[in-house]
Amino acid sequence: EAGVTQFPSHSVIEKGQTVTLRCDPISGHDNLYWYRRVMGKEIKFLLHFVKESKQDESGMPNNRFLAERTGGTYSTLKVQPAELEDSGVYFCASSRGGRGENYGYTFGSGTRLTVV
Amino acid sequence: AQSVAQPEDQVNVAEGNPLTVKCTYSVSGNPYLFWYVQYPNRGLQFLLKYITGDNLVKGSYGFEAEFNKSQTSFHLKKPSALVSDSALYFCAVRDLVKSYQLTFGKGTKLSVIP
């Protein structure tokens, strides 16, 4: 089966611009997650979708971040306007069930976002 | 709240030598523990997990990890390191309340020297 696909793989934008990251989960995986790693720090949870519904967005840093999952398929994460501290690697993951230790997460390659 | 600590930012080991990447955790209740690896320009790949059972867990690419409840540790090990093992390694624990959510450590960069 195809893995989790993220694009772009890299994005360099200026402070104040808008960027949209996309994630295509594995087909049939209802659960989709976004995580972020700021340079040298932990990978941190951002949010969790079940199909098209946001189940938990407690990790979203602020209202400059907007995630959507249209029709329960692919997801987008928009940052508007981008700030310097938003730089990092954004990972998407998907799983069939919601209990990751049983069903297993599959992560994408990540999008490296650099805000200059 | 649970947490994961990876005390070493970087580990260097000679090819053919055994390697250990350290991880300690803090969680109330029984921990569900994971190791992931990120090779250059690749995504996070699952290596192994501990849910219950034997304290020694075997995973992909010849890696294993030992769960030690008294020391709250879950160190990653491999008997003989390969240059291709050079990568970034992350330890993670599943959230006890939000079962879908992982809490990661900062990561340890492993460099295997030929």
Side-chain angles (χ1 to χ4, degrees):
Chain A
E1 64 182 2
V4 175
T5 305
Q6 291 187 246
F7 48 93
S9 56
H10 294 84
S11 181
V12 180
I13 62 170
E14 293 184 351
K15 176 182 173 180
Q17 288 187 323
T18 297
V19 63
T20 301
L21 314 180
R22 173 166 168 152
C23 170
D24 286 68
I26 292 174
S27 178
H29 281 194
D30 287 340
N31 292 266
L32 186 148
Y33 318 82
W34 284 97
Y35 284 79
R36 176 177 76 168
R37 183 178 191 238
V38 173
M39 182 63 70
K41 299 199 173 180
E42 297 89 347
I43 300 171
K44 290 201 170 181
F45 170 83
L46 295 179
L47 87 160
H48 171 214
F49 283 100
V50 177
K51 296 184 180 179
E52 68 276 7
S53 299
K54 292 177 189 175
Q55 291 297 109
D56 180 358
E57 52 183 335
S58 61
M60 296 286 263
N62 50 60
N63 59 10
R64 295 186 292 104
F65 289 75
L66 175 64
E68 295 179 324
R69 190 179 182 194
T70 307
T73 55
Y74 69 90
S75 174
T76 58
L77 180 63
K78 180 189 288 187
V79 185
Q80 180 182 27
E83 298 290 345
L84 298 179
E85 64 265 24
D86 301 332
S87 296
V89 180
Y90 291 76
F91 291 103
C92 175
S94 70
S95 67
R96 190 174 301 279
R99 293 177 64 85
E101 80 282 3
N102 292 333
Y103 299 101
Y105 297 95
T106 301
F107 281 86
S109 299
T111 294
R112 182 175 296 277
L113 174 65
T114 303
V115 183
V116 297
Chain B
Q2 56 279 329
S3 64
V4 174
Q6 293 181 244
E8 303 153 317
D9 291 335
Q10 176 141 3
V11 170
N12 297 322
V13 63
E15 185 177 22
N17 282 3
L19 70 87
T20 298
V21 182
K22 295 179 180 177
C23 171
T24 58
Y25 63 89
S26 174
V27 62
S28 55
N30 295 322
Y32 291 174
L33 297 157
F34 302 80
W35 275 101
Y36 283 84
V37 59
Q38 185 182 16
Y39 297 103
N41 301 316
R42 302 286 295 277
L44 287 169
Q45 295 181 33
F46 169 79
L47 272 181
L48 50 80
K49 65 182 177 183
Y50 172 82
I51 306 299
T52 186
D54 288 342
N55 290 342
L56 187 63
V57 179
K58 294 188 182 296
S60 307
Y61 312 122
F63 283 93
E64 57 190 26
E66 186 170 11
F67 171 67
N68 187 318
K69 189 172 183 177
S70 63
Q71 297 185 3
T72 61
S73 67
F74 189 56
H75 300 331
L76 182 70
K77 300 181 179 183
K78 187 173 182 181
S80 178
L82 300 173
V83 173
S84 57
D85 293 330
S86 298
L88 194 54
Y89 290 80
F90 292 94
C91 183
V93 63
R94 193 205 76 175
D95 193 291
L96 287 178
V97 175
K98 302 177 182 179
S99 62
Y100 48 82
Q101 182 176 334
L102 294 176
T103 298
F104 286 88
K106 289 186 179 181
T108 299
K109 182 178 179 182
L110 173 68
S111 293
V112 181
I113 303 162

